[in-house]
Amino acid sequence: MHTKAKLAVITLVLISTTANAQAANPQTQQPAKGSTYRDTAHITEIRILTQRVNQPQQICNQVPGAPAQAKAQPKHPYGGAVIGGVAGGLIGHTAGEGSGKDAATAGGAVIGAMVGEHMQKQAAAAQAQAQAPTMVTQCYYVDSWVERQSGAIVTYTWRGRTMTETLPYVPTFHAGDDVPLSVSTTLAGHA
């Protein structure tokens, strides 16, 4: 083999060996200017950010409401018995004849008084029930403050440098993990 040919083969072997070594260890690989590549960062600390948020809660209770409008109470509690007695006496007086007329009048008065008193008691009970307060639902809101996770401040090391980045979410990785890192390079210069 000629000397020039031997040098060409040795050069190709060296270039191939260097390229394979750089591909096997990306941290020693030098990025091209103006490109993006992937590397690995080591997470050293994660601090979770929180914020307080108000979530009002509705509470409802059954409470007595205003009573229904009722009719005025009768002034005399025995009015029904008196009116019923008079009405019953009149009916008994017209129904009876002769000496039985007095007995029919007295019996009608007694029966009328009993019916009148019973009707007055029923009316008073219905009126009392109408005056009972109704139950209504009353609702109101109370503050309910909760803590929500809103992001994280992540500290990591990359190629011997310590860096910090604020994320708008809570990451799934933890301190001590090695995570992929996207690195962009640009050429600094004058415009």
Side-chain angles (χ1 to χ4, degrees):
M1 220 182 204
H2 293 68
T3 306
K4 284 186 178 183
K6 285 182 184 181
L7 285 175
V9 169
I10 292 171
T11 304
L12 285 175
V13 169
L14 286 174
I15 291 173
S16 174
T17 305
T18 305
N20 287 340
Q22 286 180 346
N25 188 359
Q27 293 200 3
T28 60
Q29 186 178 11
Q30 294 300 316
K33 299 290 184 202
S35 65
T36 301
Y37 66 96
R38 304 216 16 117
D39 205 343
T40 303
H42 181 74
I43 306 301
T44 57
E45 180 185 9
I46 299 175
R47 193 171 43 159
I48 304 298
L49 300 174
T50 59
Q51 66 183 126
R52 283 177 48 98
V53 179
N54 187 13
Q55 294 178 324
Q57 301 290 321
Q58 183 181 33
I59 297 177
C60 295
N61 295 316
Q62 293 288 325
V63 296
Q69 190 67 25
K71 296 177 185 174
Q73 291 276 356
K75 292 180 184 176
H76 305 290
Y78 301 108
V82 171
I83 293 172
V86 170
L90 288 174
I91 292 171
H93 183 73
T94 57
E97 291 184 17
S99 63
K101 202 175 235 192
D102 291 337
T105 301
V110 169
I111 292 173
M114 289 171 50
V115 169
E117 182 181 11
H118 178 71
M119 290 177 68
Q120 184 175 0
K121 285 182 180 179
Q122 281 185 330
Q127 190 174 12
Q129 187 175 6
Q131 286 180 337
T134 57
M135 298 303 281
V136 295
T137 302
Q138 184 180 46
C139 296
Y140 57 94
Y141 286 89
V142 295
D143 289 339
S144 176
W145 292 93
V146 295
E147 294 279 329
R148 278 198 183 154
Q149 295 180 341
S150 59
I153 298 174
V154 178
T155 304
Y156 60 95
T157 57
W158 174 70
R159 292 196 177 205
R161 297 182 199 160
T162 299
M163 301 183 182
T164 300
E165 188 172 336
T166 302
L167 302 177
Y169 58 90
V170 177
T172 56
F173 50 80
H174 307 302
D177 289 351
D178 290 327
V179 297
L181 181 68
S182 179
V183 181
S184 295
T185 62
T186 56
L187 191 61
H190 300 285

